[in-house]
Amino acid sequence: MEISMNILIYRYGSICEPDIIEAFNRMSVHVDEVTDEIYNKKITPAEGITVLKKRLDSGTAYSLVFTVNFFPWIAEVCSIYGIMYFSLIVDSPVMELYSDSIKLPCNRVFLFDRCLYDEFAADNPGHIFHIPLATNIQRSRRVIDNAGSAQKQHFASDISFIGSLYTEKCLYNQVKLPAYYEGFANALIDAQLKVYGYNFIEECLSDDFVNVFLANAPGHYTFPEASRHAWKALVAQQYISVKAAEQERIRALKMLSENFSVDLYTGSDTSVLPHIHNRGFARSHTEMPLIFNQSKINLNITARSIRSGLSLRIFDILGCGGFLLTNYQAELPEYFEIGSEVEAFSSMEELHDKC
């Protein structure tokens, strides 16, 4: 097979990376990998720069460097070497996008959320793009086709949900606000949970609230000097939206498990959900395809920090031939026919009725 180009992918352990590499290989693209960060999560940008420069100086002519999500220091190195840097954003928030490095001409940044695109496109016109995420149907089909009937039955469910409750990763829970500000935040979360398809949290935050919030948020993220200091975005996306997601998932799963048989695959503490069937972690590449394929209803509850786009879970479920019931997102009808290709809910009552 003739190789069309060589690319260098800097990996940190995202579950998306193996599928992306497989897709590149199917297109006759040769991929070399930098894997140091997979095995050393404490690697510093300075150490990463040394590793990356060594690979770029190895003599191989690379057409581009690729990463899942955006690394400002990689953009800086690629700018020096005159090589394109492609980054596919699969998470939200990604605070590194506020770095001034996003403006470098070597960048090609692909954002799956239109709200993110609208926020950053003007920082580097013609170099920032909006595209949906995708799934590796070939890998999923291999897993499903090679599974025996007993293995498939093991993962059969009436309703299944795979994912965190966010209770263990919700930074909001570490913040101790004065009563007035706590009341405002809780009311804002409750209001947001009643609205699907539009995230209004950030626009409701005053400078005063943000200042008080950050003063009571221990060890919060600090923007580097060479970046846009988007403090409202930080509070809205990394704190309040995550708390909203935590509450939405707990409330939805509590309601459903009290009325239906629900299997939850998670590492989160489920003591607040006494009727749920906690099945523990699901292996992303070898078990999730079977769960999606064998569940009567696959539930998706998009993290509220994803403001308009479609999470990877939506494509993974559909790519496995699974039935999907998801919360409504603004971009959902742009890609799928609701009621035919997918089902969606816009309230807890509608979620209950469609189960």
Side-chain angles (χ1 to χ4, degrees):
M1 181 181 295
E2 184 178 352
I3 300 298
S4 60
M5 68 169 66
N6 297 306
I7 72 169
L8 182 63
I9 178 169
Y10 181 91
R11 298 185 58 185
Y12 65 91
S14 167
I15 62 171
C16 303
E17 291 165 353
D19 287 336
I20 291 170
I21 292 170
E22 183 178 324
F24 279 138
N25 288 334
R26 283 200 298 267
M27 295 186 292
S28 301
V29 174
H30 176 75
V31 178
D32 285 336
E33 304 174 36
V34 177
T35 59
D36 298 59
E37 190 166 334
I38 294 178
Y39 306 104
N40 177 16
K41 295 300 182 183
K42 295 182 179 180
I43 192 170
T44 65
E47 292 169 334
I49 288 171
T50 299
V51 171
L52 182 59
K53 289 176 66 176
K54 182 178 180 180
R55 295 299 293 271
L56 293 176
D57 289 334
S58 65
T60 301
Y62 292 110
S63 300
L64 59 95
V65 175
F66 180 93
T67 63
V68 172
N69 292 331
F70 182 73
F71 292 74
W73 61 266
I74 293 181
E76 298 286 347
V77 171
C78 288
S79 180
I80 293 171
Y81 276 76
I83 184 173
M84 288 191 296
Y85 172 36
F86 279 45
S87 55
L88 174 65
I89 309 305
V90 302
D91 295 316
S92 183
V94 177
M95 305 313 295
E96 289 79 7
L97 290 171
Y98 291 98
S99 167
D100 289 348
S101 300
I102 199 174
K103 302 175 183 179
L104 292 170
C106 64
N107 287 323
R108 303 295 186 273
V109 183
F110 299 88
L111 304 167
F112 76 101
D113 184 289
R114 180 170 285 110
C115 286
L116 280 178
Y117 172 80
D118 290 341
E119 184 175 359
F120 291 102
D123 287 342
N124 201 341
H127 294 250
I128 297 178
F129 309 91
H130 172 241
I131 61 170
L133 298 176
T135 190
N136 186 347
I137 296 175
Q138 290 88 340
R139 173 182 55 77
S140 298
R141 180 48 56 188
R142 289 195 298 268
V143 173
I144 295 167
D145 290 346
N146 290 330
S149 57
Q151 189 179 14
K152 290 181 178 179
Q153 182 59 37
H154 176 73
F155 291 109
S157 297
D158 288 340
I159 302 172
S160 69
F161 178 75
I162 302 176
S164 170
L165 297 181
Y166 288 117
T167 49
E168 74 281 6
K169 60 177 72 173
C170 182
L171 297 176
Y172 182 97
N173 294 336
Q174 302 173 17
V175 179
K176 303 299 181 184
L177 292 172
Y180 171 82
Y181 295 91
E182 181 181 7
F184 171 81
N186 290 337
L188 181 58
I189 290 169
D190 285 339
Q192 179 65 82
L193 291 182
K194 292 180 172 63
V195 176
Y196 289 76
Y198 183 72
N199 186 315
F200 51 73
I201 291 174
E202 184 174 341
E203 63 192 77
C204 292
L205 302 183
S206 66
D207 291 337
D208 173 62
F209 177 87
V210 170
N211 290 335
V212 171
F213 191 98
L214 292 175
N216 290 277
H220 66 75
Y221 177 85
T222 300
F223 290 97
E225 183 177 349
S227 66
R228 181 168 20 130
H229 293 189
W231 299 113
K232 283 187 180 180
L234 174 67
V235 172
Q237 297 175 32
Q238 201 167 66
Y239 287 89
I240 298 179
S241 288
V242 176
K243 183 64 177 180
E246 175 206 74
Q247 288 301 300
E248 183 170 32
R249 292 186 175 191
I250 290 174
R251 296 177 193 183
L253 292 169
K254 184 176 187 297
M255 179 271 293
L256 289 176
S257 62
E258 289 174 350
N259 293 277
F260 307 99
S261 176
V262 181
D263 288 330
L264 172 61
Y265 292 85
T266 187
S268 300
D269 179 5
T270 56
S271 58
V272 296
L273 301 171
H275 300 288
I276 208 84
H277 305 140
N278 187 341
R279 302 286 297 270
F281 282 111
R283 294 183 176 89
S284 299
H285 292 149
T286 59
E287 294 180 342
M288 283 189 186
L290 296 175
I291 297 167
F292 296 148
N293 183 258
Q294 293 297 307
S295 295
K296 294 178 181 177
I297 297 176
N298 290 282
L299 182 62
N300 177 64
I301 306 173
T302 307
R304 287 287 179 155
S305 54
I306 300 175
R307 289 172 284 173
S308 66
L310 306 187
S311 66
L312 182 61
R313 184 58 43 81
I314 289 175
F315 298 96
D316 284 342
I317 291 170
L318 297 175
C320 293
F323 178 86
L324 170 67
L325 176 56
T326 181
N327 64 287
Y328 179 82
Q329 288 283 100
E331 295 182 45
L332 188 63
E334 297 179 22
Y335 300 103
F336 301 106
E337 183 178 344
I338 299 174
S340 175
E341 296 173 314
V342 300
E343 263 300 348
F345 63 91
S346 297
S347 68
M348 288 294 107
E349 294 75 19
E350 187 176 12
L351 172 60
H352 175 276
D353 292 345
K354 288 187 173 180
C355 285

